Amino acid sequence: MPELVPNKKFNTDLEKFRHNKPLLKKIARAVNMLEKNPRYPGLGIERITNDPSAWSARVDRKYRISFEPTLIQPSGSPDWSAPVKLLRILDHDDLYKAPR
């Protein structure tokens, strides 16, 4: 289980959603699952093509969380025993344009 380390932009994005309780619940569920079982298929984890060190996980149909594993295995997969930096929470299109 990775230790999740949010950055300032992640916390700022999270603060923007403080009045949207249903979305906050989905974000909490996604972050919790990323911490407990990052291989969970419902997260839809994938690489972000325009930023080779950033990955994304699904919150719902509209929003995704970008993150950066601090350690990558030789196979190219994240080492889930190492910490993971949480980068942003944005809608799908915006996140893939600017994941940091």
Side-chain angles (χ1 to χ4, degrees), residues 33-92:
M33 191 54 69
L34 185 61
E35 184 175 38
K36 286 184 178 180
N37 181 10
R39 293 180 185 93
Y40 179 69
L43 288 173
I45 289 179
E46 58 190 24
R47 271 205 148 129
I48 298 176
T49 56
N50 65 338
D51 186 333
S53 62
W55 295 64
S56 75
R58 181 180 303 118
V59 171
D60 63 11
R61 287 180 167 217
K62 183 175 180 180
Y63 291 98
R64 295 188 72 88
I65 295 171
S66 62
F67 63 92
E68 179 180 12
T70 57
L71 194 58
I72 301 292
Q73 298 174 351
S75 67
S77 299
D79 181 344
W80 296 117
S81 64
V84 170
K85 298 176 191 173
L86 299 175
L87 303 174
R88 301 296 307 261
I89 309 166
L90 295 170
D91 72 61
H92 181 278

Side-chain angles (χ1 to χ4, degrees), residues 3-38:
E3 173 191 0
L4 303 181
V5 182
N7 70 7
K8 287 182 182 182
K9 285 186 178 181
F10 182 88
N11 289 331
T12 301
D13 292 342
L14 190 58
E15 183 64 25
K16 290 177 187 175
F17 301 121
R18 69 184 164 146
H19 296 296
N20 188 339
K21 299 292 182 196
L23 182 58
L24 280 177
K25 203 171 182 181
K26 291 176 184 180
I27 292 168
R29 187 174 348 126
V31 168
N32 188 26
M33 191 54 69
L34 185 61
E35 184 175 38
K36 286 184 178 180
N37 181 10

